[in-house]
Amino acid sequence: MTEKATFAGGCFWCMVKPFDQYEGIESVISGYTGGYTEHPTYEEVCSETTGHFEAVQIVYDPTVFTYEKLLEIFWLQIDPTDPGGQFFDRGDSYRTAIFYHSDEQRKLAEESKKLLEKSRKFPTSIATQILPAKSFYPAEEYHQDYYKKNPLHYARYRKGSGRESFINLHWGQNDE
């Protein structure tokens, strides 16, 4: 039996590969969630008029890969202290959030956030929101598996956006 996990970590292109490489992960879909516009387009979400976050929805087998491990990977991909977006992507659609699909996911997400706060790894508070899952709308096909379809552009974007250097500085070497 599979379960879903949904995470917003800024640009969804950069949130697929870190999860996509593990046994027990059945799919990682780029899309939009958290807002009020049904079936939004990329352009609508980027216009900041839909309320949606760019996010990934992961289908996984919890007997092979736990939700706790998904949370660990999520935190290592983001700047959890930035309430205004991620790296050079600014605006509400690029904010970070954990969208829980069950009370157990909510509890585990809150615990992981508290542990990160208590670690004092960052001098400011954790801005990542923990929200109930809402409808998830897959992004357009050209956004799916972007790191595979456009590996050179993906690598330049990840580095040029500041994400890669932030991860290396704050989390240590991250092999994605």
Side-chain angles (χ1 to χ4, degrees):
M1 175 109 139
T2 60
E3 294 184 15
K4 290 180 182 175
T6 306
F7 302 115
C11 175
F12 49 36
W13 291 348
C14 294
M15 295 301 293
V16 174
K17 186 177 180 185
F19 296 101
D20 202 30
Q21 57 192 330
Y22 294 101
E23 184 177 336
I25 305 295
E26 295 197 8
S27 66
V28 184
I29 304 297
S30 296
Y32 316 110
T33 194
Y36 39 82
T37 300
E38 291 185 13
H39 308 286
T41 65
Y42 179 71
E43 290 74 21
E44 289 171 328
V45 173
C46 288
S47 74
E48 302 294 339
T49 60
T50 67
H52 284 293
F53 294 69
E54 283 196 17
V56 292
Q57 189 160 84
I58 301 161
V59 176
Y60 68 102
D61 179 344
T63 66
V64 177
F65 206 88
T66 66
Y67 188 72
E68 292 91 334
K69 183 65 177 164
L70 292 171
L71 288 166
E72 288 175 28
I73 293 168
F74 169 73
W75 291 119
L76 297 177
Q77 307 312 311
I78 65 168
D79 175 355
T81 66
D82 189 343
Q86 286 292 283
F87 314 105
F88 77 27
D89 290 316
R90 311 311 301 156
D92 287 349
S93 62
Y94 294 109
R95 292 172 296 156
T96 61
I98 299 167
F99 292 92
Y100 59 86
H101 293 265
S102 67
D103 284 339
E104 179 67 10
Q105 283 188 356
R106 179 190 51 75
K107 181 177 129 278
L108 293 169
E110 288 172 352
E111 287 173 5
S112 71
K113 182 176 176 178
K114 283 179 191 164
L115 283 173
L116 183 56
E117 278 280 0
K118 285 182 182 177
S119 76
R120 300 197 188 281
K121 185 168 196 53
F122 298 97
T124 58
S125 63
I126 304 303
T128 301
Q129 299 176 71
I130 298 173
L131 303 167
K134 293 177 84 174
S135 295
F136 183 86
Y137 302 98
E140 296 80 354
E141 183 56 35
Y142 69 93
H143 289 300
Q144 305 303 330
D145 295 318
Y146 195 84
Y147 79 96
K148 291 178 185 175
K149 293 175 182 173
N150 299 286
L152 294 176
H153 185 256
Y154 167 77
R156 282 193 311 270
Y157 178 83
R158 184 176 160 84
K159 184 175 179 118
S161 70
R163 184 181 296 262
E164 192 169 294
S165 61
F166 179 90
I167 289 170
N168 289 337
L169 179 66
H170 289 90
W171 298 111
Q173 187 61 35
N174 182 333
D175 50 335
E176 240 188 329

